[in-house]
């Protein structure tokens, strides 16, 4: 504690006078020495261990020898030359078109359809193996719940990739039903179209029309009264419906995602209601229409024991429906196949699961077979709605750190110590004396106590107006020196990222869902700082300060210069993984930040092992304004008229140029962009600096009949 003792060295006898002086050049205690040899020996393997990549990322993500995240599009069957360097994809997408890039602005969602295909095939093969090995006498055909990600190309890819094994879709609203009907026209004729959710006459009419179109549609009753609508509309349309019902099971799990299950769950029929449905259908000679039993015990089912318990209970209901005369054919186990977001393989966490896809499938097959064999009931077709497990891995959100809060070693005040002390009240002065004495004795805890007490008293003096800002800064510096010398100073940096948490990671803000977030490059270098991530929004909630593994900060690398975008350093990219389910669908327009740009990337035999098959820029400022009922065209006209009114103010700035710049702003994305993409250019005239607007050939024309800022 010698340095600390010097900092607060003062007589403990009553002041004044004091003979000690505060040396403003006194160095703060040096940081712990780093082992340069250890830093030099840092490798990609160390980063893989640090960020748990092998836990949550296998078999699709790894870190290559260049220190970049590498994508293995075909899972465990990916050959070395087929791996895709994620940084190269980001560079291809974001580099200017003049440099051979696509000119897309970050943030960026990178989709890998090959990973999506592999997830579907892995799910199907897992059930096929379990069915064959256990002697199960039926088959598996799943459905994808489109609510997880309704993007057109995601849904179309799933239908295409799954057509060979009758993979279908599940819809929970009228627009979802319309898109499912359209997509399944190109799918397998045997693929199920499962209709869940609350239903009105129009919803049920659409579902029955889908049967007229020879789609394998099943209307699942979520409420007992929906049956009357199904019966009435089916008679009017002359369509024999296929009906399923959703049962409220007693089985539920205790985690966050289990709150929708159990007897108090939002959806489903009780045993009494199930019997009422059976009775009514029997009276109408429509009991043969009841063919599917559905249930859901919650997303992220943590263990196969809980899964088997729920599936076994549902299988009992299924067999009872068979006994009552229903023409049962399918048991739909709903969603619940979990994702191991943190790689811990834990059954006691909402962000992990203690099983593999193979173990999940085996548990389902075994539970259904056991009950049906005991009851002498024919084995049903097995169906699941495993959305999260299908789409999570194939999508990566990439964003850039644009700056970071700097950590400066605490500076002692430039004023003399005596001047500082003369401004203190008696009680604050006593705290300083006690702090000095404790420092000399080496009593660390006591030092912290008196330092904090001194700081609080000085704050009170400042609020009362009896202490100047210089003295307040002095005590802040002193307390920081004390904390740093003792080793309790918090040096976590804040990295400002070009992102909206509310738009792109809403589950983190809304329910505390954690996703793996790591740098996508520089992983062959040892990270030198820890940081939290702060987004662009104007809300304090717009930050990420919780990470997998129970961490409150993330190991990060120093930014070069001032970072990217407006800085003079290199870009520093981070990626959020396993976010392909729900995040895009739930994203808001908080602060009017729209969604990210999107590229789809497929493995190819080219020089970089990938080809960009689809690229879509993110919504512009005009696009997001229109969503909130504003009319960008009229907004622009109002601004244009104002420009014309002040056109002759003598500053030499062209009104056409000003209008061009505003038009460009409507057309650009809301996120931070490099200065080169701005419609306003800096100029200096004499001693005055200002921004003017380009009116060259590349600018947007402001004539009403030609102006178009919404580029598809």
């Amino acid at each position: 504690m010698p340095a600390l003792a010097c900092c607060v060295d003062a007589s403990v006898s009553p002041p004044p006078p004091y003979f000690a002086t505060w040396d403003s050049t006194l160095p703060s205690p040096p940081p712990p020495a780093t082992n340069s040899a250890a830093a030099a020996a840092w490798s990609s393997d160390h980063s893989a261990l640090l960020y748990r990549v092998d836990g949550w990322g296998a078999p699709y993500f790894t870190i290559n020898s260049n220190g970049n995240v590498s994508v293995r599009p075909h899972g465990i069957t990916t050959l070395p030359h087929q791996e895709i360097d994620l940084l190269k994809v980001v560079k291809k997408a974001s580099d200017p078109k003049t440099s051979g890039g696509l000119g897309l602005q970050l943030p960026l969602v990178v989709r890998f359809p090959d990973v999506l295909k592999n997830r579907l095939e892995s799910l199907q093969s897992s059930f096929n193996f379990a069915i064959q090995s256990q002697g199960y006498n039926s088959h598996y055909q799943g459905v994808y719940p489109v609510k997880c990600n309704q993007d057109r190309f995601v849904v179309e890819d799933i239908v295409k990739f799954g057509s060979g094994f009758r993979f279908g879709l599940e819809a929970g609203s009228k627009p979802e039903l319309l898109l499912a009907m359209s997509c399944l026209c190109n799918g397998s004729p045997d693929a199920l179209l499962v209709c869940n959710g609350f239903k009105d006459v129009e919803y049920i009419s659409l579902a029955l029309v889908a049967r007229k179109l020879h789609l394998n549609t099943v209307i699942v009753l979520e409420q007992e009264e929906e049956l009357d609508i199904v019966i009435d509309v089916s008679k009017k349309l002359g369509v024999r419906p296929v009906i399923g019902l959703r049962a409220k099971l007693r089985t539920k799990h205790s985690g966050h995602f289990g709150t929708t299950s159990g007897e108090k769950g939002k959806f489903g029929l009780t045993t009494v209601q199930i019997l009422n449905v059976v009775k009514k259908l029997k009276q109408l000679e429509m009991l043969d229409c009841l063919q599917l039993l559905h249930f859901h015990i919650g997303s992220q089912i943590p263990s196969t024991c809980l899964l088997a318990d729920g599936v076994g209970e549902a299988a009992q209901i299924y067999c009872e429906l068979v006994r009552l005369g229903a023409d049962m054919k399918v048991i739909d186990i709903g969603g619940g196949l979990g994702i191991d977001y943190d790689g811990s393989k834990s059954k006691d966490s909402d962000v992990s699961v203690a099983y593999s896809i193979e173990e999940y499938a085996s548990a389902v097959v075994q539970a259904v077979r056991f009950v049906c064999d005991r009851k002498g009931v024919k084995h049903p077709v097995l169906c699941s709605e495993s959305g999260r497990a299908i789409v999570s891995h194939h999508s990566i959100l990439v964003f850039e750190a644009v700056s970071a809060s700097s950590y400066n070693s605490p500076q002692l005040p430039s004023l003399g110590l005596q001047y500082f002390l003369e401004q203190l009240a008696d009680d604050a002065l006593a705290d300083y004396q006690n702090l000095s004495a404790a420092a000399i004795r080496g009593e660390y805890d006591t030092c912290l106590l008196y330092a904090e007490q001194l700081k609080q008293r000085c704050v009170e003096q400042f609020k009362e107006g009896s202490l100047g800002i210089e003295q307040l800064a002095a005590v802040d510096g002193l307390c920081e020196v004390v904390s740093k010398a003792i080793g309790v100073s918090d040096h976590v940096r804040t990295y400002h990222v070009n992102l909206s948490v509310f738009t792109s990671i809403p589950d983190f803000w809304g329910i505390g869902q954690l996703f793996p977030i790591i740098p996508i490059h520089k992983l062959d270098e040892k990270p030198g700082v820890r940081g939290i991530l702060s987004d662009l929004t104007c809300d304090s909630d717009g930050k990420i300060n919780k990470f997998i593994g129970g961490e409150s900060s993330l190991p990060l690398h120093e930014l070069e210069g001032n970072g990217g975008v407006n800085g003079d350093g290199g870009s520093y990219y981070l990626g959020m993984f396993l976010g392909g389910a729900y995040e895009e669908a739930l994203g808001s327009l908080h602060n009017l930040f729209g969604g990210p740009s999107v590229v789809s990337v497929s493995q190819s035999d080219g020089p970089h092992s990938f080809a960009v098959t689809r690229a879509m820029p993110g919504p512009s400022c005009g696009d997001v304004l229109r969503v909130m009922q504003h009319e960008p065209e009229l907004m622009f006209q109002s601004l244009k008229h104002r420009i014309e009114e002040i056109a002759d103010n003598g500053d030499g700035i062209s009104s056409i140029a000003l209008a061009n710049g505003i038009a460009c702003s409507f057309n650009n994305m809301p996120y931070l962009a490099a200065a080169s993409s701005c419609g306003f250019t800096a100029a200096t005239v004499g001693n005055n600096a200002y921004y003017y607007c380009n009116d060259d050939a590349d600018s947007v024309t402001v004539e009403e009949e030609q102006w178009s800022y919404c580029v598809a």
Side-chain angles (χ1 to χ4, degrees):
M1 181 78 68
L4 176 58
C6 291
C7 293
V8 295
D9 184 22
S11 172
V12 294
S13 60
Y18 288 96
F19 301 103
T21 58
W22 202 324
D23 182 4
S24 63
T25 64
L26 182 68
S28 58
T34 58
N35 188 328
S36 58
W42 190 267
S43 70
S44 299
D45 291 338
H46 291 93
S47 287
L49 184 63
L50 177 66
Y51 295 108
R52 304 184 177 204
V53 176
D54 292 338
W56 54 261
Y60 301 106
F61 307 111
T62 186
I63 301 175
N64 61 31
S65 59
N66 294 324
N68 302 333
V69 169
S70 186
V71 181
R72 307 179 69 195
H74 310 300
I76 60 175
T77 63
T78 305
L79 300 175
H81 72 276
Q82 295 175 324
E83 292 189 6
I84 300 172
D85 189 313
L86 183 57
L87 181 64
K88 292 181 179 179
V89 173
V90 174
K91 291 291 188 181
K92 175 66 177 178
S94 61
D95 280 352
K97 293 181 180 179
T98 54
S99 302
L102 300 175
L104 296 179
Q105 187 179 333
L106 269 63
L108 178 71
V109 167
V110 184
R111 294 197 182 117
F112 292 91
D114 294 320
V115 173
L116 188 63
K117 183 173 184 286
N118 185 266
R119 294 298 292 176
L120 275 171
E121 292 173 345
S122 297
L123 180 62
Q124 185 71 38
S125 63
S126 295
F127 270 99
N128 289 347
F129 178 79
I131 286 169
Q132 183 177 3
S133 62
Q134 296 186 36
Y136 193 84
N137 295 320
S138 189
H139 66 273
Y140 168 80
Q141 57 179 104
V143 297
Y144 167 66
V146 297
K147 67 179 181 181
C148 289
N149 192 325
Q150 299 99 334
D151 181 84
R152 168 191 168 187
F153 301 108
V154 173
V155 179
E156 288 181 351
D157 279 345
I158 288 173
V159 171
K160 178 176 67 174
F161 298 149
S163 62
F165 33 86
R166 299 167 288 198
F167 213 88
L169 300 174
E170 180 268 343
S173 67
K174 283 180 276 191
E176 287 185 350
L177 178 54
L178 286 168
L179 76 86
M181 291 168 62
S182 174
C183 289
L184 285 176
C185 286
N186 298 315
S188 167
D190 297 323
L192 289 166
L193 172 51
V194 177
C195 301
N196 288 330
F198 289 106
K199 305 172 187 69
D200 60 8
V201 172
E202 185 178 9
Y203 185 122
I204 290 171
S205 297
L206 279 172
L208 291 171
V209 167
R211 286 208 67 81
K212 272 185 171 289
L213 300 177
H214 301 288
L215 297 176
N216 192 10
T217 311
V218 182
I219 301 173
V220 178
L221 305 179
E222 307 278 3
Q223 302 177 97
E224 185 180 354
E225 53 266 30
E226 291 174 355
L227 177 61
D228 293 330
I229 304 176
V230 172
I231 293 171
D232 181 58
V233 176
S234 65
K235 289 180 178 178
K236 291 178 180 178
L237 292 178
V239 179
R240 191 75 170 173
V242 173
I243 299 172
L245 56 84
R246 178 166 175 170
K248 284 186 177 180
L249 302 187
R250 270 68 168 181
T251 305
K252 63 176 295 184
H253 69 81
S254 57
H256 168 81
F257 296 104
T259 56
T260 58
S261 59
E263 293 181 90
K264 304 297 183 181
K266 178 179 179 180
F267 293 112
L269 307 182
T270 64
T271 52
V272 173
Q273 292 171 321
I274 290 173
L275 290 174
N276 289 340
V277 168
V278 171
K279 180 180 179 181
K280 180 169 290 188
L281 288 174
K282 189 172 184 178
Q283 289 173 344
L284 296 171
E285 297 184 349
M286 295 179 64
L287 195 53
D288 62 304
C289 295
L290 181 56
Q291 298 181 13
L292 179 145
L293 175 69
H294 173 48
F295 69 93
H296 180 61
I297 59 175
S299 296
Q300 284 290 107
I301 297 174
S303 68
T304 54
C305 291
L306 179 62
L307 172 68
D309 189 29
V311 173
E313 181 185 351
Q316 296 285 357
I317 298 174
Y318 179 93
C319 291
E320 287 299 294
L321 291 172
V322 172
R323 181 180 65 82
L324 293 172
D327 189 19
M328 301 300 293
K329 296 179 180 178
V330 181
I331 185 167
D332 180 351
I333 64 174
L337 174 53
I339 294 298
D340 191 0
Y341 290 98
D342 65 2
S344 65
K345 304 293 187 291
S346 171
K347 66 178 181 180
D348 300 317
S349 170
D350 285 339
V351 295
S352 184
V353 291
Y355 54 82
S356 64
I357 294 181
E358 293 81 8
E359 291 168 331
Y360 174 90
S362 179
V364 170
V365 173
Q366 184 177 15
V368 176
R369 181 181 61 81
F370 176 78
V371 173
C372 290
D373 286 351
R374 190 172 60 179
K375 295 283 189 176
V377 172
K378 181 181 177 181
H379 296 168
V381 172
L382 298 174
C383 176
S384 72
E385 302 175 4
S386 304
R388 186 188 301 268
I390 291 173
V391 297
S392 291
H393 295 78
H394 95 289
S395 178
I396 304 169
L397 174 67
V398 178
F399 51 96
E400 185 178 4
V402 296
S403 65
S405 61
S406 60
Y407 174 74
N408 298 317
S409 296
Q411 298 295 316
L412 300 178
S414 59
L415 300 171
L417 177 62
Q418 183 172 350
Y419 177 79
F420 168 70
L421 295 175
E422 286 174 352
Q423 307 299 313
L424 298 182
D426 290 344
D427 50 1
L429 195 55
D431 287 331
Y432 179 82
Q433 289 178 299
N434 292 328
L435 170 60
S436 176
I440 294 171
R441 295 192 300 269
E443 297 174 354
Y444 299 171
D445 292 341
T446 305
C447 282
L448 288 174
L449 174 65
Y450 284 118
E452 183 61 29
Q453 200 162 289
L454 172 63
K455 189 173 184 177
Q456 292 302 318
R457 293 192 197 279
C458 289
V459 169
E460 292 172 6
Q461 277 192 253
F462 179 77
K463 290 180 178 179
E464 294 169 357
S466 60
L467 194 70
I469 193 171
E470 296 91 347
Q471 286 76 30
L472 187 63
V475 76
D476 286 340
L478 174 63
C479 292
E480 179 63 19
V481 167
V482 172
S483 297
K484 187 173 183 181
I486 294 173
V488 298
S489 183
D490 181 11
H491 298 159
V492 173
R493 306 264 192 98
T494 297
Y495 275 54
H496 305 109
V497 294
N498 196 7
L499 184 77
S500 165
V501 169
F502 304 91
T503 296
S504 294
I505 321 178
D507 271 343
F508 174 82
W509 171 76
I511 62 174
Q513 171 72 45
L514 301 183
F515 297 91
I517 298 176
I518 68 170
I520 68 167
H521 60 139
K522 295 189 175 183
L523 295 171
D524 55 349
E525 304 173 19
K526 186 175 182 178
V529 298
R530 297 192 70 92
I532 63 172
L533 308 180
S534 178
D535 75 357
L536 299 180
T537 65
C538 297
D539 283 76
S540 57
D541 285 346
K543 62 183 178 182
I544 304 173
N545 56 2
K546 295 180 181 178
F547 303 89
I548 63 171
E551 299 291 336
S552 58
S553 61
L554 187 68
L556 296 168
H557 303 84
E558 291 276 8
L559 296 183
E560 297 177 10
N562 295 322
V565 184
N566 295 324
D568 55 6
S571 298
Y572 186 54
Y573 300 110
L574 297 108
M576 186 201 81
F577 296 78
L578 309 188
Y582 296 108
E583 301 316 289
E584 292 178 57
L586 293 175
S588 66
L589 288 176
H590 189 272
N591 268 178
L592 294 186
F593 286 111
S597 303
V598 180
V599 294
S600 291
V601 177
S602 294
Q603 187 268 319
S604 74
D605 296 328
H608 299 300
S609 301
F610 72 88
V612 176
T613 58
R614 191 175 294 113
M616 294 159 284
S620 67
C621 293
D623 294 334
V624 296
L625 285 165
R626 187 176 290 105
V627 171
M628 300 305 291
Q629 310 306 316
H630 297 279
E631 298 185 36
E633 293 89 346
L634 297 181
M635 295 168 67
F636 175 76
Q637 290 303 320
S638 296
L639 292 168
K640 181 183 175 185
H641 291 322
R642 175 58 63 90
I643 290 170
E644 292 169 348
E645 291 174 359
I646 57 105
D648 298 326
N649 60 6
D651 59 10
I653 302 176
S654 165
S655 60
I656 297 295
L658 282 174
N660 275 352
I662 292 176
C664 287
S665 293
F666 275 106
N667 188 49
N668 290 339
M669 285 180 69
Y671 293 93
L672 302 184
S676 60
S677 66
C678 179
F680 300 87
T681 302
T684 303
V685 178
N687 295 324
N688 299 319
Y690 64 92
Y691 277 83
Y692 71 95
C693 304
N694 294 314
D695 55 357
D696 56 26
D698 293 331
S699 297
V700 178
T701 303
V702 297
E703 296 180 10
E704 293 181 17
E705 66 273 16
Q706 295 180 350
W707 182 60
S708 175
Y709 51 80
C710 293
V711 180

Short mmCIF file of all heavy atoms in Angstrom, two decimals, residues 19 79 154 166 180 190 195 207 217 230 248 277 282 353 368 417 424 483 518 582 633 673 694 703:
data_model
loop_
_atom_site.label_atom_id
_atom_site.label_comp_id
_atom_site.label_asym_id
_atom_site.label_seq_id
_atom_site.Cartn_x
_atom_site.Cartn_y
_atom_site.Cartn_z
N PHE A 19 1.45 20.40 5.94
CA PHE A 19 2.73 20.63 5.28
C PHE A 19 2.91 19.72 4.07
O PHE A 19 3.80 19.94 3.28
CB PHE A 19 3.87 20.44 6.28
CG PHE A 19 3.76 21.37 7.45
CD1 PHE A 19 3.30 20.92 8.68
CD2 PHE A 19 4.07 22.71 7.30
CE1 PHE A 19 3.18 21.79 9.74
CE2 PHE A 19 3.95 23.59 8.39
CZ PHE A 19 3.50 23.12 9.61
N LEU A 79 -16.57 -30.86 -44.78
CA LEU A 79 -15.16 -31.08 -45.06
C LEU A 79 -14.38 -29.78 -44.80
O LEU A 79 -14.96 -28.69 -44.86
CB LEU A 79 -14.98 -31.53 -46.50
CG LEU A 79 -15.69 -32.84 -46.89
CD1 LEU A 79 -15.53 -33.10 -48.38
CD2 LEU A 79 -15.16 -34.00 -46.06
N VAL A 154 -37.05 -18.19 -45.53
CA VAL A 154 -36.86 -19.23 -44.52
C VAL A 154 -37.95 -20.30 -44.65
O VAL A 154 -37.67 -21.50 -44.68
CB VAL A 154 -36.87 -18.62 -43.11
CG1 VAL A 154 -36.86 -19.72 -42.04
CG2 VAL A 154 -35.67 -17.70 -42.91
N ARG A 166 -42.02 -35.29 -46.10
CA ARG A 166 -43.38 -34.86 -45.76
C ARG A 166 -43.42 -33.81 -44.65
O ARG A 166 -44.33 -33.78 -43.82
CB ARG A 166 -44.24 -36.07 -45.34
CG ARG A 166 -44.40 -37.12 -46.40
CD ARG A 166 -44.97 -38.41 -45.87
NE ARG A 166 -44.00 -39.12 -45.06
CZ ARG A 166 -44.08 -40.41 -44.74
NH1 ARG A 166 -45.12 -41.12 -45.17
NH2 ARG A 166 -43.18 -40.98 -44.00
N ALA A 180 -48.69 -20.16 -45.22
CA ALA A 180 -48.48 -21.61 -45.16
C ALA A 180 -49.18 -22.31 -46.32
O ALA A 180 -48.63 -23.22 -46.95
CB ALA A 180 -48.96 -22.16 -43.82
N ASP A 190 -48.55 -34.84 -48.76
CA ASP A 190 -48.84 -35.46 -47.47
C ASP A 190 -48.42 -34.60 -46.29
O ASP A 190 -48.69 -34.95 -45.13
CB ASP A 190 -48.12 -36.82 -47.36
CG ASP A 190 -48.60 -37.81 -48.40
OD1 ASP A 190 -49.82 -37.82 -48.68
OD2 ASP A 190 -47.77 -38.57 -48.94
N CYS A 195 -53.36 -26.12 -37.97
CA CYS A 195 -53.94 -24.80 -37.71
C CYS A 195 -54.20 -24.64 -36.22
O CYS A 195 -55.17 -25.19 -35.68
CB CYS A 195 -55.25 -24.63 -38.49
SG CYS A 195 -55.05 -24.79 -40.28
N ALA A 207 -59.03 -22.42 -43.54
CA ALA A 207 -58.49 -23.76 -43.31
C ALA A 207 -59.27 -24.82 -44.10
O ALA A 207 -58.68 -25.76 -44.64
CB ALA A 207 -58.52 -24.08 -41.82
N THR A 217 -54.79 -30.40 -44.29
CA THR A 217 -55.05 -29.42 -43.23
C THR A 217 -55.77 -30.06 -42.05
O THR A 217 -56.73 -30.81 -42.21
CB THR A 217 -55.90 -28.27 -43.78
OG1 THR A 217 -55.32 -27.79 -45.00
CG2 THR A 217 -56.01 -27.15 -42.78
N VAL A 230 -66.54 -24.78 -36.70
CA VAL A 230 -66.03 -25.75 -37.67
C VAL A 230 -67.17 -26.54 -38.29
O VAL A 230 -67.23 -26.73 -39.53
CB VAL A 230 -65.03 -26.71 -36.99
CG1 VAL A 230 -64.63 -27.84 -37.95
CG2 VAL A 230 -63.79 -25.96 -36.52
N LYS A 248 -54.99 -29.97 -22.40
CA LYS A 248 -54.26 -29.38 -21.28
C LYS A 248 -53.75 -30.52 -20.40
O LYS A 248 -54.54 -31.22 -19.75
CB LYS A 248 -55.17 -28.47 -20.46
CG LYS A 248 -55.45 -27.12 -21.08
CD LYS A 248 -56.24 -26.24 -20.13
CE LYS A 248 -56.45 -24.86 -20.73
NZ LYS A 248 -57.22 -23.96 -19.84
N VAL A 277 -66.51 -32.60 -26.62
CA VAL A 277 -66.23 -32.58 -28.06
C VAL A 277 -66.53 -33.96 -28.66
O VAL A 277 -67.16 -34.07 -29.72
CB VAL A 277 -64.77 -32.17 -28.32
CG1 VAL A 277 -64.38 -32.44 -29.78
CG2 VAL A 277 -64.55 -30.70 -27.99
N LYS A 282 -69.87 -37.33 -32.03
CA LYS A 282 -70.54 -38.63 -32.16
C LYS A 282 -72.01 -38.46 -32.51
O LYS A 282 -72.56 -39.18 -33.36
CB LYS A 282 -70.39 -39.41 -30.86
CG LYS A 282 -70.86 -40.85 -30.96
CD LYS A 282 -70.51 -41.63 -29.69
CE LYS A 282 -70.88 -43.09 -29.82
NZ LYS A 282 -70.51 -43.86 -28.60
N VAL A 353 -30.23 -27.22 -22.21
CA VAL A 353 -30.97 -28.47 -22.10
C VAL A 353 -29.97 -29.60 -21.89
O VAL A 353 -28.82 -29.51 -22.32
CB VAL A 353 -31.84 -28.76 -23.34
CG1 VAL A 353 -32.99 -27.77 -23.45
CG2 VAL A 353 -30.99 -28.72 -24.62
N VAL A 368 -44.41 -43.08 -26.30
CA VAL A 368 -45.65 -43.36 -27.05
C VAL A 368 -45.79 -44.87 -27.27
O VAL A 368 -46.88 -45.43 -27.09
CB VAL A 368 -45.65 -42.60 -28.39
CG1 VAL A 368 -46.88 -42.99 -29.21
CG2 VAL A 368 -45.62 -41.09 -28.15
N LEU A 417 -2.79 20.22 -2.01
CA LEU A 417 -3.58 19.49 -1.02
C LEU A 417 -4.20 20.44 -0.01
O LEU A 417 -5.36 20.26 0.39
CB LEU A 417 -2.69 18.46 -0.32
CG LEU A 417 -3.35 17.64 0.79
CD1 LEU A 417 -4.50 16.82 0.24
CD2 LEU A 417 -2.32 16.75 1.47
N LEU A 424 -13.11 21.62 2.69
CA LEU A 424 -13.92 20.55 3.25
C LEU A 424 -14.58 20.96 4.56
O LEU A 424 -13.99 21.68 5.37
CB LEU A 424 -13.06 19.30 3.49
CG LEU A 424 -12.41 18.66 2.26
CD1 LEU A 424 -11.64 17.41 2.69
CD2 LEU A 424 -13.45 18.32 1.21
N SER A 483 -9.47 2.79 -4.66
CA SER A 483 -10.08 1.55 -5.15
C SER A 483 -9.12 0.77 -6.02
O SER A 483 -9.01 -0.46 -5.91
CB SER A 483 -11.36 1.86 -5.93
OG SER A 483 -12.33 2.46 -5.11
N ILE A 518 -20.01 -13.19 -29.29
CA ILE A 518 -18.55 -13.21 -29.28
C ILE A 518 -18.03 -12.37 -30.44
O ILE A 518 -18.75 -12.13 -31.41
CB ILE A 518 -17.98 -14.64 -29.38
CG1 ILE A 518 -18.25 -15.24 -30.77
CG2 ILE A 518 -18.53 -15.54 -28.30
CD1 ILE A 518 -17.51 -16.55 -31.02
N TYR A 582 -37.58 -16.37 -33.51
CA TYR A 582 -38.35 -15.35 -32.80
C TYR A 582 -37.78 -13.94 -32.89
O TYR A 582 -38.56 -12.98 -32.93
CB TYR A 582 -38.53 -15.72 -31.31
CG TYR A 582 -39.33 -16.98 -31.11
CD1 TYR A 582 -38.73 -18.15 -30.69
CD2 TYR A 582 -40.70 -17.00 -31.37
CE1 TYR A 582 -39.45 -19.31 -30.51
CE2 TYR A 582 -41.44 -18.15 -31.20
CZ TYR A 582 -40.82 -19.31 -30.78
OH TYR A 582 -41.55 -20.46 -30.62
N GLU A 633 -43.36 11.05 -48.22
CA GLU A 633 -43.46 11.94 -49.39
C GLU A 633 -43.92 13.34 -48.97
O GLU A 633 -43.35 14.35 -49.39
CB GLU A 633 -44.42 11.37 -50.43
CG GLU A 633 -43.95 10.08 -51.07
CD GLU A 633 -44.39 8.84 -50.31
OE1 GLU A 633 -44.84 8.98 -49.15
OE2 GLU A 633 -44.27 7.74 -50.86
N ALA A 673 -23.63 5.07 -40.10
CA ALA A 673 -22.99 4.70 -41.36
C ALA A 673 -21.71 5.51 -41.52
O ALA A 673 -21.52 6.54 -40.88
CB ALA A 673 -23.92 4.96 -42.54
N ASN A 694 -24.36 17.37 -51.32
CA ASN A 694 -23.88 17.10 -52.67
C ASN A 694 -25.03 17.22 -53.66
O ASN A 694 -26.13 16.75 -53.41
CB ASN A 694 -23.30 15.69 -52.75
CG ASN A 694 -22.05 15.56 -51.90
OD1 ASN A 694 -21.18 16.39 -51.94
ND2 ASN A 694 -22.00 14.49 -51.11
N GLU A 703 -36.87 16.64 -58.03
CA GLU A 703 -38.08 16.97 -58.77
C GLU A 703 -39.16 15.96 -58.43
O GLU A 703 -38.93 14.77 -58.39
CB GLU A 703 -37.79 16.97 -60.27
CG GLU A 703 -36.78 18.05 -60.69
CD GLU A 703 -36.52 18.02 -62.18
OE1 GLU A 703 -37.25 17.29 -62.88
OE2 GLU A 703 -35.61 18.72 -62.64
#
